[in-house]
Amino acid sequence: YKLAASMYDLGRKDFASDKAARHAAGATEMFGLSHLMLMYTARSPPIDVDSYLAQACHEYDARSSARASTAVDDNLALRATLLYYEAYRMLGHVRAAPAGLVRMAQRCDEVLAPLLLEQAALACLQLRPRPALRKFALYLVTAAHRYQACGQKVLSLRCYAQAAVVY
């Protein structure tokens, strides 16, 4: 994975200098994932790869806002976020996962945003040594509001009920 990370690093720098934003974003995304896999195989302490995720999502958004965006362009940042979230869960380092999910939920609309907020809440429960219960409840209440805004009352009530346990 070290070789892959160095190749993706070279690629992202070349793509950035060539103004190939979509390719640079993809290389940045894979650079961060390579570091995550390197952490997994070497059992090294966690490093901050959330900045690579944020940069990749920003580059995907900048590309889609620069021209008429398509559905594929809009889903690239979501794909990157979900890949990182699953990698964080696999490694057991979920501390950075809620921030990425909430960042993506702010960009999404309709039912997808509250789903991401629910996942962020669940990630807050998995934090060690102490779960972040207040953040868990906050994300669930926010998800409930978003569900209610799009007419999903049953899902909204479920989130409120789960958040009520904390309060």
Side-chain angles (χ1 to χ4, degrees):
Y1 293 111
K2 188 179 281 189
L3 177 63
S6 65
M7 291 295 122
Y8 284 123
D9 190 33
L10 286 173
R12 72 188 182 110
K13 290 175 183 174
D14 286 344
F15 291 137
S17 67
D18 291 341
K19 307 256 188 294
R22 184 176 184 181
H23 298 295
T28 302
E29 175 185 344
M30 294 309 295
F31 178 66
L33 282 174
S34 297
H35 276 286
L36 277 173
M37 294 297 113
L38 186 63
M39 281 181 2
Y40 179 69
T41 57
R43 301 285 187 218
S44 62
I47 58 172
D48 179 33
V49 295
D50 192 49
S51 59
Y52 302 127
L53 169 64
Q55 182 181 355
C57 290
H58 176 72
E59 288 171 353
Y60 284 134
D61 286 345
R63 180 186 180 273
S64 64
S65 64
R67 62 177 189 82
S69 67
T70 63
V72 172
D73 291 338
D74 293 338
N75 290 331
L76 291 174
L78 176 63
R79 181 200 67 190
T81 302
L82 293 177
L83 274 173
Y84 272 75
Y85 173 61
E86 287 301 319
Y88 283 135
R89 280 186 7 158
M90 180 186 70
L91 291 171
H93 302 298
V94 293
R95 185 151 309 278
L101 290 168
V102 169
R103 191 180 324 114
M104 193 68 222
Q106 292 171 347
R107 297 178 181 168
C108 295
D109 55 334
E110 293 297 321
V111 179
L112 185 58
L115 281 172
L116 292 171
L117 287 169
E118 277 189 271
Q119 289 299 311
L122 291 174
C124 287
L125 277 183
Q126 296 172 355
L127 293 177
R128 298 286 177 248
R130 283 185 27 208
L133 293 177
R134 288 186 288 186
K135 281 188 178 183
F136 165 75
L138 172 72
Y139 293 151
L140 280 179
V141 169
T142 307
H145 285 302
R146 301 288 290 266
Y147 276 133
Q148 202 166 23
C150 63
Q152 299 293 324
K153 294 185 191 252
V154 174
L155 296 174
S156 176
L157 287 173
R158 186 191 62 169
C159 288
Y160 281 134
Q162 288 176 345
V165 172
V166 174
Y167 296 117

